[in-house]
Amino acid sequence: MTDKVSRRRFAKLAGLSAAGLTGSLDAVEAKPAATPRARNNGFPAGFLWGTATSSYQVEGAVNEDGRGASIWDKFVRIPGKIEDGTTGDRANEHYHRYKEDIALIKQLGCRAYRFSVAWPRIFPDGDGKPNPKGLDFYNRLVDELLKNGIEPWLTLYHWDLPQALQDRFGGWRSTETCKIFGDYAAYVAERLTDRVRNVFTLNESGRFVYFGYGIGIDAPGVTLPQAEVNQIRHNSALAHGLAVQAVRAHGRRGTRVGPAENIDACVPAIDTPENVRAAEIALREMNAGYLNVIMTGRYTDAFLKFAGPDAPKYTDAELKIISSPIDFLGLNIYAPQNYVVATDEGAGFKPLPIPKSFPHMNSDWLRVGPETIYWVPKLAAKIWKTDAIYISENGTSGDDVVSPDGKIYDTDRIMYLRNYLTQLQRATAEGVPVRGYFLWSLMDNFEWVYGLNKRFGLYHVNFDTQVRTPKLSASFYRNVIAKNASGV
């Protein structure tokens, strides 16, 4: 794939820039020491370690138990859209193998699992009559997680919009979809927050808006003018706000809620006071079209000036909904989008070009910049005055060659994780309020436009046999969790 279809990249989003159970971890390496390190040598006591998946990427069973079609069910059947021509029809068969997969999570020692609810399983047509069999699956999943001592973290939307809403309203082009999303959020909150205490609203607005409606390389595959893309992004922020209010009104007391966004990551090119300040400005302005308006209730002057006639149309009432108070901020952090330096021109920052020789993983877009996971939470906490940040996704694809002995020695993934977690540990040691980390992903899965070609999992999946095999990185991550330290 070329860089233009990179998984997390969303250039110019704010308009300001010129990824059957077999074997065990014990078979890979010896058990780690179980004694957690002291705070100054590791992560804070109580730091939440988890892993993550999403519904369309792992569940399969797309035509079972009353599930309706999603925009991805339609999109994957358009010739040439998916690199290897595969679909999520079967994926990991998680819908039927969830107990086996929860056992994998338990082997890692994870205390939390981030999963998403498939909207069309709950409401096959987006709204109207709910499908009880769809809800039953998530009831079973949540109960099994709790039975195994794993805390469920639920994501309401991870891109599988009901196709019926795309057909009726143009999907996120209409505020009708936002209102229906709020109703869906209320239904899920009423029925699951007796056991699920933490809810993410929308996953990666930056990706699904720009890729799905701007350049058309994700579902629903639409290419629209910038003014409409900006309006759709505003609508997604409105949907987030309506979901927050729905969870507040219909969830059990104490339920926490927040977004999970692939923040446009801005890093000071050199650690000087001027460049750090420039990176702070850049992080706010490059995320002005979504996260900043959620956190502050307003669009920045620089964003509105740059957007000009393409700026979204909105009301004060909508801004109030969008900025409904949240309990935590979820940040999906993979790679630096922008290294910046200070300048006296324009907004006060200058994004630097990324050299072709910049190191990256086996996905070209996934540049190796461990300092990103230090700077972005640090600056975000300062800009938006939040005291609870979760790294809702971080991880990497790898070549993941199966060796003659049947094992996967993914030292490339271990290198990536070790360096990123060391920088995250640096942040928490300095008091940056990162409370937990969800590694993407539990296992190899359907990786959107890449199909099954890109593997992000800690567990290797043979998609013919559905056998799961732990990679060496699974043992690395288990060791990190047991020591509560980065593994350096």
Side-chain angles (χ1 to χ4, degrees):
M1 279 288 181
T2 61
D3 188 57
K4 72 177 183 178
V5 297
S6 59
R7 184 172 184 271
R8 311 288 171 190
R9 179 174 176 266
F10 54 113
K12 299 185 180 179
L13 266 188
L16 292 174
S17 68
L21 174 62
T22 182
S24 71
L25 301 190
D26 295 339
V28 180
E29 68 169 21
K31 290 184 178 180
T35 304
R37 296 186 183 185
R39 180 188 174 99
N40 61 346
N41 292 321
F43 287 88
F47 191 83
L48 185 72
W49 294 102
T51 187
T53 65
S54 84
S55 50
Y56 187 76
Q57 292 180 271
V58 298
E59 285 181 3
V62 297
N63 297 311
E64 295 184 36
D65 292 337
R67 177 189 179 276
S70 78
I71 54 175
W72 276 91
D73 293 302
K74 181 176 180 179
F75 183 78
V76 296
R77 286 168 170 77
I78 301 174
K81 290 296 185 181
I82 308 302
E83 187 176 82
D84 61 359
T86 59
T87 74
D89 289 6
R90 186 184 181 197
N92 298 61
E93 296 184 351
H94 181 65
Y95 189 77
H96 296 294
R97 298 174 181 265
Y98 69 93
K99 290 186 178 181
E100 299 173 40
D101 294 336
I102 289 171
L104 302 181
I105 302 171
K106 189 172 184 179
Q107 280 191 33
L108 294 170
C110 288
R111 291 176 41 228
Y113 174 53
R114 181 182 171 217
F115 66 95
S116 72
V117 173
W119 188 350
R121 281 204 195 281
I122 306 300
F123 290 97
D125 295 319
D127 59 359
K129 186 177 180 181
N131 173 33
K133 289 185 177 180
L135 182 66
D136 284 349
F137 168 69
Y138 297 105
N139 275 317
R140 296 193 302 271
L141 177 68
V142 167
D143 288 344
E144 187 69 16
L145 287 166
L146 294 173
K147 177 182 174 182
N148 284 274
I150 301 165
E151 184 179 2
W153 285 60
L154 183 155
T155 304
L156 287 165
Y157 183 74
H158 201 130
W159 308 356
D160 41 4
L161 181 75
Q163 181 63 41
L165 297 182
Q166 184 66 32
D167 295 339
R168 288 160 60 193
F169 303 117
W172 295 109
R173 298 174 73 175
S174 172
T175 56
E176 288 302 313
T177 298
C178 303
K179 296 172 185 175
I180 294 170
F181 180 71
D183 293 339
Y184 153 70
Y187 182 88
V188 172
E190 273 186 352
R191 288 154 179 83
L192 291 179
T193 59
D194 59 330
R195 290 152 291 156
V196 176
R197 311 306 294 171
N198 296 278
V199 177
F200 292 105
T201 53
L202 290 82
N203 183 76
E204 294 192 355
S205 171
R207 164 75 186 253
F208 76 75
V209 171
Y210 183 61
F211 279 29
Y213 294 88
I215 56 177
I217 59 175
D218 276 358
V222 179
T223 304
L224 298 173
Q226 188 61 46
E228 291 193 61
V229 174
N230 288 341
Q231 192 65 50
I232 291 168
R233 190 179 305 111
H234 172 81
N235 290 349
S236 71
L238 179 61
H240 156 82
L242 290 169
V244 170
Q245 293 188 352
V247 171
R248 295 265 188 262
H250 297 271
R252 300 300 193 276
R253 183 183 297 274
T255 303
R256 301 194 307 161
V257 61
E261 179 61 0
N262 57 334
I263 189 168
D264 196 329
C266 300
V267 178
I270 303 173
D271 185 356
T272 66
E274 297 81 8
N275 289 334
V276 172
R277 174 57 181 158
E280 182 182 330
I281 297 169
L283 194 70
R284 182 187 68 236
E285 296 298 341
M286 297 295 286
N287 294 281
Y290 187 72
L291 268 186
N292 190 74
V293 71
I294 285 173
M295 302 301 287
T296 69
R298 61 180 295 269
Y299 289 107
T300 67
D301 294 339
F303 171 74
L304 293 174
K305 181 179 179 181
F306 183 91
D310 292 337
K313 306 298 187 292
Y314 55 88
T315 66
D316 289 342
E318 287 177 340
L319 293 181
K320 187 174 181 179
I321 294 170
I322 288 170
S323 59
S324 299
I326 59 174
D327 299 294
F328 55 78
L329 176 60
L331 301 177
N332 294 1
I333 299 176
Y334 289 86
Q337 270 78 42
N338 304 283
Y339 285 97
V340 300
V341 293
T343 177
D344 293 332
E345 301 176 359
F349 67 93
K350 178 181 179 180
L352 303 179
I354 302 293
K356 290 183 179 179
S357 59
F358 200 100
H360 60 80
M361 303 304 289
N362 83 329
S363 296
D364 290 346
W365 63 269
L366 215 169
R367 296 184 285 269
V368 182
E371 64 276 11
T372 309
I373 209 168
Y374 166 80
W375 283 109
V376 171
K378 182 182 179 77
L379 296 175
K382 181 180 179 182
I383 295 166
W384 295 309
K385 299 177 176 59
T386 179
D387 63 357
I389 293 173
Y390 291 87
I391 305 304
S392 36
E393 287 185 27
N394 170 251
T396 183
S397 59
D399 288 338
D400 294 346
V401 175
V402 180
S403 298
D405 62 6
K407 297 177 182 178
I408 301 94
Y409 300 109
D410 56 335
T411 53
D412 54 348
R413 180 173 290 104
I414 292 173
M415 175 278 298
Y416 176 96
L417 293 173
R418 178 184 289 118
N419 281 281
Y420 273 72
L421 289 172
T422 297
Q423 288 291 323
L424 185 61
Q425 184 173 300
R426 173 190 173 199
T428 59
E430 293 181 10
V432 178
V434 177
R435 310 301 183 193
Y437 171 91
F438 292 87
L439 192 151
W440 186 272
S441 174
L442 171 64
M443 55 188 166
D444 300 334
N445 54 46
F446 179 81
E447 188 52 40
W448 307 114
V449 295
Y450 296 106
L452 303 178
N453 281 348
K454 296 297 183 185
R455 294 179 175 270
F456 279 77
L458 292 172
Y459 290 87
H460 178 276
V461 178
N462 181 318
F463 290 103
D464 293 325
T465 65
Q466 290 295 331
V467 169
R468 282 84 153 128
T469 303
K471 304 173 188 177
L472 189 61
S473 59
S475 290
F476 168 82
Y477 191 45
R478 187 181 69 164
N479 194 54
V480 166
I481 294 170
K483 292 181 176 180
N484 199 38
S486 64
V488 294

